[in-house]
Amino acid sequence: MTVDSGELDRLRAAVERGDARRDAVDEAARAIAQVLDVDDVLQLIVDRVRALVRARWAALGIVDRYGFIEQFITSGISDADRARIGAPPVGHGLLGLIIREHRSYRIPEIAAHPDSAGFPPNHPPMTSFLGVPVLLKGRAVGNFYLTDKEGALEFTEEDQQVVELFASHAAIAIENARLHEQVRRLAVVDERERIGRDLHDGVIQSLYAVTLGLEDVPDLMAEAPDEAATRVDRAIESIHTTIHDLRNFIFGLRPELLDRATLLDSIRTLADELGTTTGLEVEQLLDPVAALGLDDERSADLLHVAHEAMSNVARHANATHATVEFRSDGRDSILVVADDGAGFDPSVDRSGTHQGLPNMRRRIEESGGQLHVESAVGGGTRIIVRVPRSNVTAAEGLT
């Protein structure tokens, strides 16, 4: 069998076109994997797959565990047209066929297919159809629906292969985004519980005690005015103390700063706020060299630990003086947060009630560093963190 030159050119063009489309799929998949918001991921997926196969319209139906469409994301149709069509589909007709059978379908004429259920009023006319399931470990996550191949009467087998390849990437991206969303929700729940518990155990209980102390004041004003005045003075003092505690609590909620400033400036900001909110004398010994050679992840870990350590000083130490030190020994970056407060016994297991130190230690150890605690009851506390630096020679300009 011989193949003429024209046929060879067509074969070469098909191979090159296939390689280009696979490259486009890989590029789109990488872009999608970097997006963690579920809605953004879904919309990006639909837009990219529509462009890859040159479909006029595309949709991604996300199905629940019962096989019903719970979310329907479209591309190529305006919001106004979506509103005129009305409620999204639930999975009848050809859409339901893909959901039930978990396999791809290429159909040249939608209306001629026996499973077609027709279109609702105000729906744009559609002719050719390509449906591809999105499966993850054999489980249906969703389905691609593409209609009206531009420049051709129907979608090709090559189009189907491209969408099926894209669907495997899309399933992982969808699952990745969903997992991140679940983690964020759990983190919010945990933080809300912590805030509620801390407010209840501290600020709310203090205010409740003040109200109890003031309940008898109206009667005492006539019967024992001196005692009434004493009660009011105590209440005022307690309220001032509670305000102080509340300011320290708010300081403990201080968000990360690295998005707006360098690591050194962020540590300086936290130290300034520690002094402002608590009235402590805070000594700062910050060496700019210590921040050199640290990648973004280790910088974020150090800032998180600095934040947590200073928050503990503000909320628990009952100190008069604190020191925040950031320096380098040539190999490691070293952060020290110290205070002259109440201190504690590090040998006592406090993991059931206080997660701050275990969380800090775990974060630093995952960065390849070490966290050491020096403390004693009545003897203050020192948190010492060492994190290895990378590219130290280049960063410091040494030869």
Side-chain angles (χ1 to χ4, degrees), residues 58-214:
L60 174 61
I62 304 299
V63 298
D64 61 20
R65 59 179 178 171
Y66 303 107
F68 293 105
I69 297 175
E70 63 178 359
Q71 195 170 359
F72 199 70
I73 302 91
T74 60
S75 180
I77 188 168
S78 68
D79 292 339
D81 288 339
R82 278 286 302 269
R84 280 192 291 271
I85 293 172
V90 294
H92 299 305
L94 292 179
L95 306 192
L97 183 67
I98 311 299
I99 294 172
R100 292 192 303 274
E101 300 195 4
H102 292 172
R103 71 181 185 90
S104 302
Y105 274 89
R106 281 187 293 118
I107 299 171
E109 179 68 43
I110 293 175
H113 194 278
D115 284 281
S116 175
F119 297 109
N122 301 317
H123 196 287
M126 296 178 178
T127 306
S128 56
F129 174 85
L130 172 59
V132 173
V134 179
L135 304 175
L136 183 66
K137 299 178 181 178
R139 175 174 56 88
V141 177
N143 301 285
F144 281 124
Y145 309 112
L146 301 109
T147 60
D148 286 26
K149 169 77 173 181
E150 294 181 346
L153 294 177
E154 61 181 297
F155 293 96
T156 65
E157 183 178 353
E158 184 183 353
D159 291 330
Q160 179 178 327
Q161 292 171 354
V162 167
V163 178
E164 287 173 347
L165 176 60
F166 198 87
S168 63
H169 290 291
I172 297 172
I174 292 170
E175 189 72 4
N176 181 52
R178 283 178 167 176
L179 288 173
H180 276 84
E181 186 174 82
Q182 289 172 7
V183 169
R184 285 197 297 267
R185 285 201 299 266
L186 289 173
V188 168
V189 170
D190 287 344
E191 184 67 3
R192 284 176 176 171
E193 289 181 352
R194 184 188 72 80
I195 291 172
R197 183 172 59 250
D198 288 353
L199 284 174
H200 179 270
D201 292 345
V203 174
I204 294 175
Q205 290 297 325
S206 297
L207 292 175
Y208 181 63
V210 171
T211 60
L212 288 178
L214 292 176

Side-chain angles (χ1 to χ4, degrees), residues 140-342:
V141 177
N143 301 285
F144 281 124
Y145 309 112
L146 301 109
T147 60
D148 286 26
K149 169 77 173 181
E150 294 181 346
L153 294 177
E154 61 181 297
F155 293 96
T156 65
E157 183 178 353
E158 184 183 353
D159 291 330
Q160 179 178 327
Q161 292 171 354
V162 167
V163 178
E164 287 173 347
L165 176 60
F166 198 87
S168 63
H169 290 291
I172 297 172
I174 292 170
E175 189 72 4
N176 181 52
R178 283 178 167 176
L179 288 173
H180 276 84
E181 186 174 82
Q182 289 172 7
V183 169
R184 285 197 297 267
R185 285 201 299 266
L186 289 173
V188 168
V189 170
D190 287 344
E191 184 67 3
R192 284 176 176 171
E193 289 181 352
R194 184 188 72 80
I195 291 172
R197 183 172 59 250
D198 288 353
L199 284 174
H200 179 270
D201 292 345
V203 174
I204 294 175
Q205 290 297 325
S206 297
L207 292 175
Y208 181 63
V210 171
T211 60
L212 288 178
L214 292 176
E215 281 185 349
D216 297 335
V217 167
D219 295 331
L220 290 173
M221 288 178 66
E223 300 171 3
D226 291 342
E227 175 64 18
T230 300
R231 292 272 189 99
V232 171
D233 289 340
R234 288 176 182 168
I236 292 172
E237 183 179 351
S238 296
I239 290 173
H240 282 308
T241 300
T242 302
I243 291 172
H244 176 78
D245 291 342
L246 185 57
R247 291 175 70 187
N248 290 343
F249 181 81
I250 292 171
F251 173 81
L253 301 179
R254 187 70 168 89
E256 301 287 352
L257 301 167
L258 277 180
D259 289 341
R260 303 191 302 274
T262 65
L263 173 60
L264 195 74
D265 288 340
S266 297
I267 293 175
R268 182 179 292 112
T269 297
L270 288 175
D272 289 341
E273 289 190 359
L274 176 61
T276 300
T277 58
T278 64
L280 283 175
E281 179 186 351
V282 181
E283 182 180 4
Q284 299 183 34
L285 304 172
L286 308 179
D287 184 355
V289 173
L292 299 179
L294 289 173
D295 58 27
D296 291 343
E297 184 176 354
R298 284 175 175 164
S299 295
D301 289 338
L302 270 174
L303 183 61
H304 177 90
V305 170
H307 174 212
E308 182 70 22
M310 283 186 258
S311 174
N312 288 340
V313 173
R315 299 172 60 193
H316 306 302
N318 193 25
T320 58
H321 181 274
T323 300
V324 178
E325 182 180 2
F326 189 43
R327 57 183 171 83
S328 169
D329 64 0
R331 185 189 67 177
D332 296 338
S333 293
I334 302 169
L335 171 71
V336 180
V337 178
D339 67 77
D340 62 355

Side-chain angles (χ1 to χ4, degrees), residues 300-302 304-305 358-367:
D301 289 338
L302 270 174
H304 177 90
V305 170
N359 289 342
M360 285 192 287
R361 179 172 282 109
R362 183 166 52 251
R363 178 182 287 266
I364 291 301
E365 289 177 351
E366 287 175 355
S367 289

